[in-house]
Amino acid sequence: MQHIIDRFISYVVIDTESDASSPTTPSTKKQLVLANLLVKELQTIGLTEVNIDENGYVMGTLPSNVDHEVPTIGFVSHYDTSPDFIGKDVKPQIVKNYDGGDIVLNAEKNIVLSPNYFQDLLLYKGQTLITTNGLTLLGADDKAGLTEIVSAMEYLMQHPEIKHGKIRVGFTPDEEIGRGADIFDVEKFGAQWAYTMDGSQIGELEYENFNAAGAKITFKGKSVHPGYAKGKMINSMLIANDFINELPKHEIPQETTDYEGFFHVVGLSGSIEESVVELIIRDHDATLFQDRKDKIVAIAAAINAKFAQQFGEDICIAEIKDQYYNMREKVEPMMFIVDLAEKAMKELGIEPLIKPIRGGTDGSRLSYMGLPCPNIFAGGHNFHGKYEYVPVESMQKAVDVIVKIAELTASTDFSDN
């Protein structure tokens, strides 16, 4: 497994943080450092049709080694990391033969990864874990996926006795800011279906995800000297606070699970004259998703009605933008592609964990662009923060799943599908 460790570490030490405020694709030029490295690696291991376009999308082909017709399938992951936490100067730590106890990430700052809080750690007792040093994220989301796809393609190149059809690989920028599939060329990719390697715990297999929207709520105020403010001042920060208090208090990420949707305040800034609240809206059910967006509009309308006479114009402006939709609608008509991944896991002794994604992947967007794309585990845990870790054995199992899917695709009769 050392080659997996080495490859993964070579990826995570490269800063690829994306930037939602940037209008370009990729949103940060530094992402291209890893993108170009991936191009060289794919070429080195022997893939064909390897290229990177002007927007940083990397594609390559593992040619078929069978003489009968096999569907072209794909594997996709993203190489950017989240801007929600520090992604620069990543210094991974390797914990061999994990003993089930606390892992000191940073002694100086007393940052500890503990199974008392992160109970999933106990699933990996005796295994090799890669963690952060407590000061940055790790980047297993989704550099674990990159590692697994490249390693699987390398293995298939080295083992021609494993029969497979044509396989396409695709690596995208800017997934973490919701733009990873914006200009992904599905026609150029040329696969009949694909899998994103972007899940968490070993065994995860997902074909349902949230419907998602982002909302920006701007509040206008009137600044007046506080000594003479009675009946005149409107403090936009207090109005913003009133807006947040109108949201359902228990429909938040930390109090919901499974299919339960939520409102999540992700940004709050302001002054007396103007404040901005940014939030994300999530729900698996399309009707409930629309209800949540309508709720935002209704709260804004009530605030505007309250201040209409005093302010003379709308004091609360709600801008809502859909981000992605539940891929289930596009994947269900082709459920055999989920069944194929499930069969691959079972043949490898992995218990499939089929459940909805409480988030989104490039796959959800790609599914609506004509490329049905379920999601498979990449192995990492606690993404987007200093407690992120990945078991090396999980990455190896993900490699095995990719290889097995390729093998099963070549030996399966899809004529009835």
Side-chain angles (χ1 to χ4, degrees):
M1 292 188 295
Q2 189 61 45
H3 69 289
I4 288 180
I5 295 173
D6 294 342
R7 175 167 281 140
F8 177 71
I9 289 178
S10 75
Y11 296 164
V12 299
V13 296
I14 300 173
D15 178 10
T16 58
E17 185 178 304
S18 47
D19 179 6
S21 67
S22 168
T24 63
T25 302
S27 61
T28 53
K29 289 185 178 180
K30 58 189 176 183
Q31 291 182 63
L32 294 174
V33 175
L34 180 51
N36 285 303
L37 173 64
L38 290 166
V39 168
K40 291 179 181 178
E41 274 203 81
L42 293 179
Q43 291 171 334
T44 298
I45 65 177
L47 266 61
T48 63
E49 302 176 311
V50 179
N51 61 79
I52 179 171
D53 68 14
E54 66 274 16
N55 299 116
Y57 289 83
V58 177
M59 295 184 184
T61 299
L62 178 69
S64 172
N65 65 359
V66 297
D67 56 9
H68 61 277
E69 187 174 343
V70 176
T72 299
I73 63 173
F75 293 94
V76 178
S77 61
H78 65 91
Y79 54 78
D80 68 311
T81 55
S82 172
D84 293 343
F85 199 73
I86 302 164
K88 183 180 179 181
D89 296 325
V90 174
K91 294 180 173 59
Q93 301 183 129
I94 299 174
V95 180
K96 294 184 177 180
N97 193 24
Y98 171 57
D99 63 7
D102 289 352
I103 300 172
V104 178
L105 300 179
N106 191 291
E108 181 181 349
K109 295 184 179 295
N110 193 30
I111 299 171
V112 177
L113 178 62
S114 174
N116 293 328
Y117 192 86
F118 299 106
Q119 296 179 3
D120 286 340
L121 276 166
L122 297 178
L123 295 170
Y124 308 110
K125 191 173 179 180
Q127 297 189 21
T128 298
L129 308 183
I130 303 178
T131 74
T132 75
N133 68 345
L135 302 179
T136 70
L137 52 68
L138 179 61
D141 180 13
D142 189 24
K143 291 170 183 176
L146 297 175
T147 300
E148 292 150 8
I149 293 172
V150 175
S151 297
M153 295 304 104
E154 183 178 43
Y155 186 84
L156 286 168
M157 285 294 299
Q158 293 172 348
H159 293 271
E161 72 276 10
I162 300 175
K163 300 306 177 184
H164 57 80
K166 180 179 179 180
I167 299 173
R168 293 282 280 161
V169 299
F171 304 138
T172 70
D174 293 338
E175 191 269 356
E176 294 293 359
I177 56 174
R179 289 164 20 196
D182 276 6
I183 45 181
F184 186 99
D185 193 334
V186 170
E187 184 177 354
K188 175 184 173 183
F189 195 58
Q192 291 175 246
W193 71 85
Y195 301 92
T196 48
M197 303 300 296
D198 196 16
S200 181
Q201 179 180 341
I202 185 171
E204 284 185 351
L205 173 57
E206 301 148 328
Y207 66 95
E208 302 177 75
N209 62 280
F210 279 136
N211 296 290
K216 177 182 177 182
I217 321 296
T218 304
F219 303 87
K220 297 180 180 179
K222 287 185 177 180
S223 181
V224 179
H225 188 290
Y228 305 92
K230 184 174 177 61
K232 300 174 184 176
M233 178 186 286
I234 298 176
N235 190 327
S236 73
M237 291 181 286
L238 297 182
I239 309 304
N241 185 62
D242 290 342
F243 176 93
I244 293 171
N245 285 335
E246 286 298 314
L247 297 172
K249 291 179 172 54
H250 299 291
E251 296 179 17
I252 54 179
Q254 57 267 46
E255 294 193 29
T256 52
T257 189
D258 295 327
Y259 287 95
E260 297 170 338
F262 58 74
F263 299 93
H264 180 33
V265 176
V266 296
L268 175 61
S269 61
S271 62
I272 293 173
E273 284 281 338
E274 182 176 288
S275 295
V276 174
V277 171
E278 295 179 275
L279 65 152
I280 60 175
I281 304 161
R282 301 289 188 264
D283 212 293
H284 284 89
D285 183 272
T287 300
L288 295 178
F289 177 57
Q290 186 60 50
D291 289 346
R292 291 186 182 280
K293 292 187 287 184
D294 291 344
K295 176 76 171 177
I296 297 295
V297 173
I299 296 172
I303 290 174
N304 287 329
K306 179 180 178 180
F307 287 92
Q309 185 172 1
Q310 184 180 359
F311 203 80
E313 60 179 304
D314 285 351
I315 196 173
C316 178
I317 299 94
E319 303 170 82
I320 303 173
K321 182 179 179 181
D322 287 354
Q323 296 169 320
Y324 52 82
Y325 303 105
N326 191 340
M327 75 171 91
R328 178 173 180 168
E329 178 182 332
K330 301 299 181 181
V331 174
E332 269 193 329
M334 296 181 65
M335 274 299 290
F336 68 90
I337 69 178
V338 178
D339 298 338
L340 189 71
E342 182 179 8
K343 181 180 180 181
M345 290 186 193
K346 287 180 176 178
E347 288 195 9
L348 293 167
I350 300 169
E351 180 181 356
L353 303 175
I354 301 176
K355 61 185 184 65
I357 308 171
R358 287 183 60 78
T361 68
D362 279 340
S364 56
R365 294 282 309 283
L366 293 172
S367 294
Y368 279 84
M369 293 165 65
L371 182 65
C373 206
N375 189 50
I376 293 174
F377 72 92
H381 287 262
N382 305 336
F383 298 144
H384 300 188
K386 59 192 174 187
Y387 297 108
E388 188 180 2
Y389 71 93
V390 61
V392 178
E393 287 82 353
S394 294
M395 286 197 285
Q396 179 61 64
K397 286 293 187 181
V399 172
D400 296 342
V401 169
I402 295 170
V403 171
K404 181 59 69 172
I405 288 174
E407 185 178 11
L408 289 174
T409 302
S411 61
T412 300
D413 180 3
F414 295 100
S415 58
D416 293 332
N417 295 300

